Amino acid sequence: MTPSQNVILIDDEADLLKALRRLLKAEGFQVTCHQSAADFLAAPRPSGPGCIVLDESMPGMTGMELQRELVAEGSSLAIIFLTARGDIPMSVRAMKAGAVDFLTKPVKDKNLISTIHTALKKSLDLQALKKERDNIRQRFETLTDREREVLQNVVKGLPNKQIAALLGLVEQTIKVHRSRVMAKMRADSLAQLVLLSERLGITGQQSEAI
Amino acid sequence: MDWVVIVWTGATSASLMLAAIHFFVWMRNRAALASLMFCLMAACTAGMAGCELAMMRVVNVDQLGPILQWYNIFRWGVTLALLGFMHFYLRAGRMWLELTVIGLRTFALLLNLLVSPNAYYSSIEGLSRIIFLGKPVTVVEGVPNPLMLVGQVSLLVLAACLVDTSWKAYSAGAYNRALRVGTSSVFFVLALSLQTMLVLWGVIEVPIMASLFFLGIVGVMAFELSEDMLRATRLADNLQQREIDLRRERKLTDSIFQGAPGLLYLQSRDGTILRWNKRPANPSEVVPTKIHDFFRSDDQHALGEFLEKTFAEGSANFELDLLHPNGSATRHFFSTVRIEIGEEPHLIGVGIDVSAEHALSLELDLQKERLARVSQIASMSELSSSLAHEINQPLAIILSNAEAAQRQLERETPNHNELREILKDIVTADIRAADVIRRLRSILNRGQPDLAIVSPTELLNSVLQILKTEIHSSGAIVSRKIPKRLPTLMADRIPVEQVLINLMKNALEAMHENGTRGKSLVLSCVSEANGIRFSVRDNGCGLPESADWIFEAFHTTKPNGLGLGLKICNTIIQAHGGRLWAENNKGRGACFHFHIPLRPDSP
C-alpha cells in the first residue's frame, strides 16, 4: 500500500459512492468521495498521483465539463468515466479529451480496479511530465526577452548571421546571447535545446512567444 | 200616344225583366239572397205597376176592390223585399227595427184587407176622370181613412230602418254602396209617402203612382247589382291573371327545386316531406314521406336534435349519412333553416354530398393516429432508455456492494457490522430496482390505464421519497402546501407519479445555476372544480419567452434531452382527462400545473 493510491469518486448517487468506497477501500485505495463536481473543485486536491472515477450525468456541472476544466488547468489527475447511460459519441469525446476509460454501470470490480491501476500509472507519468515541464519552464523564465527571441529563431534552425539580420544586431552579439541561452536552459547541444523547447510548446513552426 | 200606358207597361215589363234576370242569378247561386230579394222586389213592383194601370182604367167602383187588395199585397211584398235586400246586400241592420217594420207593414196590409172598403178611404164616393199626361185616367174620390196613417207611419219607420242599416254599412266601410242604396231608397220611400198623403188628402190630383217610386229604387239597386257583377268579372279576370302568375311562379320553384344540386327539401313541423327535388328512378321505388326515412335508425336521435335546433334557433348545420333507395348511404352535409308558411313553422333543408371530404378527413384522422402512435413509441423508447439508466444505478450499487462484501468475507476477521450495512444497502437498492421495473412495465402497458383510488397526499409523499437523493444532492429546499382534507382521485398512479417526477427533476435542473440565491421548490395541491390541481414551482431560470412549444415532441433546451419529457407528461395528463400548463412566476422561475379530474369521465 503506497500512499500515492488516491482515488476520487464523483457521483451524485450517494448509495453508489458508499458501495464503491467500500470496495475500493478493501482494495487498499485512498478513497475520497464527492457528490458533485462543484464539491470536488472546492475541496483540497491530494498531493501525488491520483485518479478520478467520474459520473457523466450529474446535476450541475457534468463529468465532461469537469474533465475539460481539469485538462485546461493541466491537472495530472487521470479520469475514468463511469456512467449509467453512455453512448458512443460521448465515449469518443471523453477518450479524445484524455480519459483513461469509459466504463458503464454496473461495472465488475476487476475491470474497475485494473482501470484504476492503469489510471494511477498514467497519473504518475503525467505528474513526472508535469514536473519536468515545470522545471524547463522555470529555466525558460530566467531568459531575458532578447534571449527568448534568439531561442525561438535558433530552434527554427536559422544561422546566427540571419538571426542577427532579423533582429538588427551584429552576429557577435547573437553568439553571446546564444551561449547564454544554452547555459540557462542547461542544454548541452542544439538538439537538446530543440527538445526542451518542444516540451514547452515552442516549435520551429511557431514564431509566437508563449 | 197614351203615355200612361207606355210608362206603366214599360215599368211593369222592365221590372219583370229585372226580376227574371235576378231570379236566374239566384237559381244559379242560392246563397245570393240579395238577388232573390231584388227579384221579389222587382216582381212586386211590376205587380204594383200593373194594378196602378188597372186602377186608372176602372170604370166602376166594384172593379176597384180586388185590384186594391192585390195592390196592397204587392206593396206589402215590395216593402219587405226592400228591407230584405238592404239586409242581405249591405249585411247590416237591426233585427228589432226590421221586425217592427215588418210588423207594421203586415198590420197595415191586414187593415187594408179587413177594413171596408180599405185603409185608405173610409168610404169611396165615386170615380172621377182626370186628365193625366194628356189622357183621361180614373182616380178614386173618397173620404180619407185615418187608419191609412198606420201605412204612412210604417213607411217612415221603414225609412228610419233604411237609414240605420245604411249608416251601419257605411260605418263598416262599404261607403259607396251604402251611400247610393241608402240615400236613393230613403229618398224614394219618403217621396212615395209624401205623394201618397198629398193624393189621399186630395191636395193634388194625380193617380197613385207608388210603383214608379219603387221602380226608382229597383233601378238604383239594379245598377248596384250590375256594378257588383262588373266587379266580379274584373275580379275573375284578375284571378285568372293571378293563376297564370302562380303557375309561372310554381314552374320557377319547380325548376329551382329540380335544378338544385344535392338534396333540397321542404318539410313540415312533424317531419312530413312536402317537396323534394329527387324523383325516383323507377316508379316502384319507395318515395320517402317523412324526413326520417332519409336516415339510418342509429342517426334518428341526432337528426331529431338537429331538427329541434332548427325550429328553436332558426337554423342548423350537421353531417349525417343519407340513405339511398338502393340501401347505400353517403355522407351529406346538411344546412337547415326554419321558414314560416302561413304562420306554420316549416323547414327547408339542403344536403350536399361530402363523402369525398369525409373519406379524406377519416384518412387524415388515421394518419394522425398513426403519427400519435409513432410518437408514442418514440416516447416509450425515450422513457425506457431513461428508465434503463435508472435501473443501472441500483444494479451498480448492488454489484459493488456485493463485491465489497466478498472482500470482507475473504478477510480473516470479517467486519460483521460492515457486512450488515452492506446487505442493508443491497436490499434498499434491490427494492429500488424492482420499483423501476414496475414503473417501466406500467408505462409500457399504457394502453389501458390502470385506474385506482389515489390519495394526492400519498402521491406527493411517494414522489418525494423517490426523488430524495436528487433533492438532497441539489441542496434545494422543498416545501409542501397541501390542504389537510383533499378528495381522492381515480387515476393511474405510476404515470401520474412519473409526471410529478419529471416536473420536479426539471425544476431542480432549472435551479442549478441559482448559486447564492438558494433553491426553493414548492409543491402544492389544491382541490378545484371537479378535480385536483398539482403545482410545481421553482425559482430557477424560468421558461423562454415564447414557450408554446415546450409540450411538443422533440423540443428541448437540454443538450442531452430528446425533448419528450413534457410531451409524455402532457399525454399522460390528457389520458386522465386533465390539462398540463406552465407559466413564468412574477419573480424568478417557473411554475408547472396540472389538473386532473376526480373521475376520468367527469371533465
Side-chain angles (χ1 to χ4, degrees):
Chain A
M1 265 194 265
T2 53
S4 61
Q5 305 270 50
N6 281 312
V7 178
I8 302 160
L9 299 174
I10 307 177
D11 199 310
D12 58 328
E13 185 71 54
D15 287 346
L16 183 70
L17 286 181
K18 212 152 84 178
L20 288 176
R21 188 218 292 265
R22 281 180 188 135
L23 180 69
L24 297 177
K25 263 195 163 169
E27 274 305 299
F29 292 107
Q30 203 83 31
V31 186
T32 334
C33 295
H34 299 286
Q35 278 206 353
S36 73
D39 273 6
F40 162 76
L41 289 174
R45 306 283 169 84
S47 58
C51 83
I52 303 176
V53 177
L54 184 57
D55 186 17
E56 157 51 23
S57 49
M58 289 185 293
M61 189 186 264
T62 65
M64 291 284 212
E65 283 162 1
L66 180 63
Q67 181 190 27
R68 218 169 296 140
E69 191 135 312
L70 289 175
V71 169
E73 77 177 36
S75 163
S76 59
L77 292 169
I79 293 173
I80 302 166
F81 276 99
L82 177 60
T83 171
R85 182 168 49 173
D87 51 20
I88 293 171
M90 201 194 282
S91 61
V92 168
R93 250 180 295 148
M95 299 302 280
K96 269 190 173 172
V100 177
D101 210 337
F102 195 90
L103 303 175
T104 51
K105 292 174 191 172
V107 63
K108 279 293 292 171
D109 53 351
K110 282 195 188 104
N111 273 353
L112 180 64
I113 289 160
S114 74
T115 312
I116 287 174
H117 282 302
T118 316
L120 286 173
K121 214 170 288 159
K122 185 179 175 187
S123 176
L124 209 61
D125 291 348
L126 281 173
Q127 216 164 29
L129 209 67
K130 193 184 172 214
K131 204 177 261 174
E132 193 189 288
R133 195 187 293 152
D134 285 349
N135 204 328
I136 299 165
R137 182 165 291 277
Q138 275 169 9
R139 290 181 224 163
F140 181 76
E141 245 131 56
T142 60
L143 299 182
T144 65
D145 287 349
R146 180 61 83 191
E147 284 162 357
R148 287 181 193 181
E149 276 176 354
V150 173
L151 170 66
Q152 274 165 10
N153 286 306
V154 168
V155 298
K156 272 184 196 168
L158 297 183
N160 291 345
K161 209 177 208 170
Q162 212 172 333
I163 297 170
L166 216 63
L167 298 178
L169 300 169
V170 291
E171 197 182 346
Q172 195 56 44
T173 319
I174 297 300
K175 273 185 185 167
V176 175
H177 282 309
R178 189 170 173 157
S179 63
R180 273 205 207 126
V181 168
M182 295 289 275
K184 279 183 177 173
M185 295 297 288
R186 293 186 218 150
D188 300 329
S189 62
L190 178 64
Q192 206 179 352
L193 186 67
V194 171
L195 200 72
L196 290 173
S197 303
E198 261 180 6
R199 292 258 168 88
L200 275 179
I202 305 165
T203 60
Q205 276 72 42
Q206 285 173 326
S207 58
E208 294 296 313
I210 308 156
Chain B
M1 272 241 273
D2 188 343
W3 278 108
V4 172
V5 175
I6 292 172
V7 168
W8 262 263
T9 44
T12 311
S13 48
S15 296
L16 278 175
M17 184 62 79
L18 287 170
I21 292 171
H22 283 275
F23 181 70
F24 286 119
V25 171
W26 175 72
M27 287 293 278
R28 299 292 288 276
N29 180 12
R30 295 298 173 92
L33 289 173
S35 286
L36 178 64
M37 289 300 157
F38 177 78
C39 164
L40 284 174
M41 197 173 144
C44 292
T45 306
M48 275 171 70
C51 291
E52 280 169 10
L53 187 59
M55 279 195 286
M56 282 187 268
R57 301 226 147 209
V58 290
V59 284
N60 59 50
V61 176
D62 297 341
Q63 288 176 312
L64 205 59
I67 298 175
L68 264 176
Q69 280 192 354
W70 277 112
Y71 183 65
N72 281 324
I73 289 171
F74 285 133
R75 273 191 81 152
W76 173 78
V78 87
T79 328
L80 263 54
L82 173 62
L83 207 60
F85 177 82
M86 294 292 276
H87 181 87
F88 292 117
Y89 185 67
L90 295 180
R91 294 171 208 285
R94 268 178 238 269
M95 193 55 90
W96 63 268
L97 205 52
E98 289 168 2
L99 287 175
T100 308
V101 175
I102 293 170
L104 277 172
R105 286 309 295 173
T106 311
F107 182 55
L109 173 68
L110 289 176
L111 278 179
N112 265 317
L113 295 180
L114 299 175
V115 177
S116 180
N118 62 37
Y120 295 107
Y121 300 101
S122 333
S123 61
I124 295 174
E125 315 262 288
L127 302 174
S128 66
R129 309 273 296 171
I130 58 161
I131 300 297
F132 183 66
L133 296 174
K135 289 283 172 185
V137 295
T138 307
V139 291
V140 179
E141 298 248 309
V143 183
N145 190 341
L147 282 177
M148 99 172 153
L149 276 177
V150 174
Q152 301 312 309
V153 167
S154 75
L155 277 183
L156 288 176
V157 177
L158 171 67
C161 180
L162 294 178
V163 168
D164 177 61
T165 307
S166 309
W167 175 249
K168 277 195 143 176
Y170 185 85
S171 310
Y175 307 118
N176 285 340
R177 48 166 67 179
L179 213 58
R180 277 198 298 265
V181 177
T183 48
S184 61
S185 58
V186 169
F187 170 75
F188 283 115
V189 167
L190 288 177
L192 166 68
S193 177
L194 187 67
Q195 194 253 354
T196 313
M197 300 245 271
L198 292 177
V199 171
L200 289 180
W201 293 102
V203 180
I204 50 167
E205 268 205 332
V206 286
I208 291 172
M209 38 201 277
S211 64
L212 298 188
F213 291 98
F214 279 107
L215 188 62
I217 299 176
V218 165
V220 172
M221 287 172 181
F223 173 76
E224 275 301 314
L225 287 176
S226 62
E227 273 282 283
D228 274 6
M229 254 188 237
L230 269 177
R231 213 175 296 138
T233 324
R234 220 172 296 139
L235 273 177
D237 279 355
N238 278 348
L239 219 62
Q240 208 172 358
Q241 187 58 43
R242 275 243 197 96
E243 205 165 301
I244 292 170
D245 289 349
L246 215 66
R247 218 170 288 149
R248 196 177 301 142
E249 199 75 8
R250 170 120 191 152
K251 234 176 183 171
L252 190 70
T253 20
D254 272 350
S255 47
I256 288 173
F257 255 89
Q258 291 312 317
L263 176 71
L264 177 64
Y265 64 90
L266 172 68
Q267 67 157 88
S268 62
R269 185 75 178 81
D270 65 351
T272 309
I273 294 176
L274 305 174
R275 294 192 73 180
W276 66 307
N277 64 336
K278 291 280 179 288
R279 294 270 164 273
N282 56 65
S284 65
E285 262 176 28
V286 186
V287 180
T289 54
K290 286 265 187 183
I291 183 68
H292 306 88
D293 300 344
F294 280 128
F295 300 98
R296 285 206 193 93
S297 50
D298 324 355
D299 289 340
Q300 294 299 336
H301 181 68
L303 173 72
E305 279 181 5
F306 292 132
L307 295 186
E308 280 313 308
K309 182 172 187 268
T310 313
F311 283 115
E313 293 171 22
S315 66
N317 291 320
F318 52 96
E319 252 189 66
L320 282 177
D321 287 338
L322 180 74
L323 281 182
H324 296 289
N326 61 10
S328 65
T330 44
R331 195 72 172 175
H332 273 63
F333 172 79
F334 288 91
S335 192
T336 54
V337 282
R338 184 190 60 204
I339 55 165
E340 310 289 333
I341 300 179
E343 314 248 317
E344 282 288 311
H346 284 66
L347 181 149
I348 280 199
V350 184
I352 305 282
D353 188 341
V354 289
S355 46
E357 288 85 346
H358 186 62
L360 205 69
S361 91
L362 282 183
E363 176 69 18
L364 216 65
D365 283 351
L366 207 67
Q367 297 247 354
K368 247 187 229 165
E369 205 175 296
R370 274 187 212 134
L371 198 69
R373 213 172 303 145
V374 166
S375 130
Q376 197 183 5
I377 290 166
S379 309
M380 272 186 201
S381 88
E382 156 90 342
L383 213 60
S384 15
S385 109
S386 98
L387 280 162
H389 162 75
E390 276 182 41
I391 208 164
N392 278 337
Q393 285 292 13
L395 286 182
I397 293 166
I398 291 169
L399 182 64
S400 300
N401 271 321
E403 288 163 347
Q406 281 173 341
R407 277 174 175 67
Q408 274 290 334
L409 289 171
E410 279 160 17
R411 286 188 183 178
E412 280 174 23
T413 51
N415 183 340
H416 285 275
N417 279 341
E418 178 82 2
L419 278 171
R420 215 169 282 128
E421 283 290 310
I422 288 173
L423 287 174
K424 205 179 100 194
D425 284 358
I426 287 177
V427 170
T428 310
D430 188 274
I431 290 169
R432 195 172 137 191
D435 189 53
V436 171
I437 289 169
R438 193 165 54 84
R439 202 169 283 284
L440 180 67
R441 186 181 293 147
S442 144
I443 285 159
L444 288 178
N445 287 342
R446 211 173 62 217
Q448 318 86 341
D450 189 8
L451 294 180
I453 295 173
V454 177
S455 145
T457 319
E458 277 175 24
L459 197 72
L460 287 177
N461 286 343
S462 120
V463 168
L464 283 172
Q465 186 62 33
I466 290 165
L467 289 178
K468 201 172 64 183
T469 13
E470 273 93 343
I471 292 167
H472 176 75
S473 63
S474 74
I477 294 164
V478 176
S479 44
R480 286 185 294 174
K481 287 185 185 168
I482 306 173
K484 283 221 171 79
R485 279 165 179 238
L486 273 175
T488 52
L489 290 168
M490 277 298 278
D492 194 349
R493 181 194 182 103
I494 289 169
V496 176
E497 266 182 23
Q498 194 66 43
V499 171
L500 276 168
I501 290 171
N502 276 12
L503 295 182
M504 283 173 70
K505 276 187 170 175
N506 283 349
L508 291 175
E509 274 181 48
M511 294 189 295
H512 166 59
E513 306 276 333
N514 274 13
T516 54
R517 199 171 38 248
K519 300 172 181 177
S520 151
L521 196 153
V522 184
L523 281 179
S524 57
C525 201
V526 266
S527 171
E528 57 176 27
N530 283 329
I532 288 184
R533 183 166 79 188
F534 293 84
S535 304
V536 179
R537 181 185 298 273
D538 63 55
N539 64 344
C541 56
L543 296 166
E545 199 65 30
S546 59
D548 302 337
W549 44 262
I550 56 171
F551 296 116
E552 284 169 28
F554 309 115
H555 277 104
T556 182
T557 51
K558 300 178 205 165
N560 294 326
L562 256 183
L564 284 168
L566 284 175
K567 163 83 183 155
I568 295 165
C569 292
N570 206 11
T571 315
I572 291 170
I573 297 302
Q574 278 174 3
H576 281 82
R579 193 166 79 87
L580 172 65
W581 71 101
E583 61 193 7
N584 271 323
N585 296 333
K586 282 202 179 115
R588 274 191 59 91
C591 190
F592 280 75
H593 311 269
F594 62 88
H595 170 97
I596 296 189
L598 295 181
R599 304 282 174 274
D601 51 351
S602 59

